[in-house]
Amino acid sequence: MNKNIPMKKLIISIANENHYCYATEICEVISDSAKIRGTGIAKRTPEYIATKMKNKNAVIALYNGKFAGFCYIEVWSHGKYVAHSGLTVHPDFRNKGLAKKIKEFTFKYSLKKYPRAKVFGITTGLAVMKINSDLGYKPVTFSELTRDSKFWKGCKTCANYNILVKKDYNMCLCTGMLYNPESKEKKKEKWFDKKVLKRLKKVKQTMLYQLCIGDFKIKWY
C-alpha cells in the first residue's frame, strides 16, 4: 500500500448492512493488533460485529472500498452509559492519525445518538488514553463505570481476566476513563502525561507478575 495515501480519500461513515462483508477482516485485525501490543482484548465474532452494523452502532473507514479502520458502540445500564470498543486501524493505514479521526467521529455520533449517556472506556493503550484525554475523558476508578454484569462478562476472553476477578472487578491492567456530558466544567482539564501513564502501565504489569506468583497487598496513594 502506498505510504502517501491522501487522507481526504478515506471515508469515515456509520456502518450498515452493506458493510457486513468486512466483519471477518475486522475481527482478524483487532485480534492481530492485540497480539502485537501484547495486551489483552475481549474477542468478538463476525456475527457480533454485523449486529452492531445492523443497529447503526458502528463506524467504519474505507479507502477505495478497502477496509481501513473501525470502532463500535455498546450501550449499558439501560442507556446510562455507552462505550466505544474495537477501535482498530488496518496495518496499511496506521501512523496517519486515522485512529483519532475514527474515535472523534464515534464520540460525536455517540453524543448525538445517546445525549444523556456517560461515555466510558477501559484500555491499556497509551495512544487511546491520549485521544480520550483530548476529547475530555478523565481517568476514573472502575466503581464509576457501569456495573452492568454483561459488560464485565465481555472481558472473559481477555488474557488478563483472572486479574479482574481476583480484584473483585475493581481493578485490572486496563485504565478506566469517563466522559460525563452533564459535567459543569466548561474547560477540559489537560491531565494526560505520557511519562506518568507509562509508569502506571509498568506498575500494572508488575501487578500481573505478582498475581501470577500469589496474592499480595497493595496500597494506593
Side-chain angles (χ1 to χ4, degrees), residues 151-170:
F151 171 78
W152 300 104
K153 283 182 180 179
C155 295
K156 282 188 174 181
T157 54
C158 175
N160 302 319
Y161 183 66
N162 65 313
I163 300 175
L164 184 65
V165 173
K166 284 189 175 183
K167 304 310 293 183
D168 197 24
Y169 297 88
N170 289 316

Side-chain angles (χ1 to χ4, degrees), residues 49-64:
I49 296 300
T51 298
K52 290 298 177 183
M53 293 176 172
K54 180 180 180 180
N55 295 333
K56 304 296 187 297
N57 273 339
V59 171
I60 192 168
L62 300 174
Y63 176 80
N64 290 336

